Amino acid sequence: MLKPVRTRARASLAGGRFAIVASRYNARYVDGMLRAARAELKRAGLAEVRVVRVPGAFEVPVVAGALARQHPGWDAVICLGVILQGQTSHAQHIGEAVTAGLTQIAVSTGVPMIHEVLVFTNEEQARVRCLGKEFNRGAEAAQTALKMAAVMRALAVADDGIPF
């Protein structure tokens, strides 16, 4: 279900570091999500937002994994891509591989991987979800990244209130 884009910034994450891995394939739609995600993160007043472009959706996990292992670490990595279903099952296989890869990276590194590598059956679906102002999966991805960063920061504080 699509949710309206909210524009509330999270001041508690000022100084945060976020990365975005965005596919160049189906650029019209991915760029729409990228613009919305960057605008949302900018409103939050983050110290650093790094964008890395990759050729296609299949390449997103390898770069996301490399970012997750960097030090100093990233608070979250937002992964953006659009896969349009063709006449074969290739799109479904790519989508499943990306999902499995991002899940494995998130669990093994502890860095939230925000998964917005989307598989659509037609361009109308992509237009509505990637180019809209009221509903945009890029803005939703940024909001999720901010929320997950706050959750992870809260977990990093021991019971006695002293960060690990």
Side-chain angles (χ1 to χ4, degrees):
M1 174 197 259
L2 294 175
K3 297 179 183 178
V5 171
R6 294 177 315 230
T7 59
R8 229 176 28 204
R10 297 208 179 263
S12 63
L13 291 171
R17 299 179 74 236
F18 290 73
I20 301 172
V21 180
S23 169
R24 291 187 186 281
Y25 203 78
N26 290 314
R28 176 179 183 218
Y29 304 113
V30 176
D31 290 351
M33 288 193 298
L34 179 58
R35 278 189 299 276
R38 289 179 87 170
E40 191 73 21
L41 295 174
K42 183 177 180 180
R43 280 191 286 277
L46 303 177
E48 184 176 358
V49 176
R50 179 176 181 187
V51 176
V52 180
R53 297 306 292 256
V54 297
F58 191 74
E59 293 76 27
V60 169
V62 71
V63 173
L67 289 164
R69 291 184 291 277
Q70 286 183 347
H71 295 282
W74 299 93
D75 291 298
V77 178
I78 299 170
C79 302
L80 305 175
V82 169
I83 305 166
L84 292 170
Q85 181 67 50
Q87 294 179 339
T88 68
S89 60
H90 184 72
Q92 182 179 347
H93 296 302
I94 297 296
E96 290 170 356
V98 169
T99 297
L102 294 178
T103 301
Q104 190 276 328
I105 294 163
V107 171
S108 67
T109 66
V111 176
M113 294 288 125
I114 310 307
H115 183 344
E116 288 297 337
V117 178
L118 308 171
V119 179
F120 297 117
T121 57
N122 59 58
E123 290 199 46
E124 176 61 18
Q125 292 173 339
R127 186 190 63 72
V128 169
R129 289 160 180 82
C130 302
L131 302 178
K133 291 185 185 205
E134 185 178 355
F135 302 104
N136 187 296
R137 297 303 293 264
E140 288 180 10
Q143 292 165 5
T144 300
L146 292 166
K147 289 175 185 174
M148 282 303 298
V151 168
M152 298 307 285
R153 284 187 182 189
L155 289 175
V157 177
D159 291 343
D160 59 5
I162 300 171
F164 288 111

